[in-house]
Amino acid sequence: MMNLFVLLFYSLFSLFAGKSAANANVYIEKGAHREVVAFKKTGIKGQVVFRHLDAATYRVLIVFPQQAGKLMEQKSKHQTMTKASYNQKNKTYYYQGEEGYFAIKFSDITRIKNENFLATFKEDHDEEGNFAVIAEFGAHKNGASISLSVKAITAAQFKKATNKIGHDISTQSIQGIK
């Protein structure tokens, strides 16, 4: 029984183990006009918190920091066509891009109902570089808040997590919240 607990704990820990991704630029856009209403850069722990959001619809955009070393290595057994996946149970978004492999955990979500939160996938670029739109949500009351923790993970961790979820959102056309 103890061995089963240790194995389960290690499996869960390994899915979100990784290196904190400092210096990821996180933007919050509001409404249909996509006005940037908040911007924060992740700190040493890879975390950002957005508080005091008005009742409205929002998008979360991230510019990921470039990874190097073992966080960029990909062996043939780790290759996957999946670009993005979302584990709704533990609110973790997995992303694969030119910058590396990442796990973004959403937490401390207040005044945002589950049915108003939608993980999305869209890569785009502007004059400052590439960014990914990873979520859309609707705050149903003023004073809403959301936290993100961004971790750089390995190709093996990415493949293991996305295979376990089996929900490739990068191949779906997802309509935004209206």
Side-chain angles (χ1 to χ4, degrees), residues 9-20:
F9 176 77
Y10 177 74
S11 296
L12 290 173
F13 179 75
S14 68
L15 287 179
F16 201 67
K19 178 184 169 197
S20 297

Side-chain angles (χ1 to χ4, degrees), residues 28 40 48-55 58 60 106-113 117 137-148:
I28 301 289
K40 289 189 179 181
V48 294
V49 178
F50 296 97
R51 293 194 171 101
H52 311 294
L53 299 171
D54 295 334
Y58 297 93
V60 178
F106 294 95
S107 61
D108 299 327
I109 299 172
T110 57
R111 299 186 178 183
I112 301 166
K113 295 179 181 174
F117 184 90
F137 64 90
H140 63 278
K141 291 184 179 180
N142 288 340
S145 66
I146 189 167
S147 298
L148 289 84

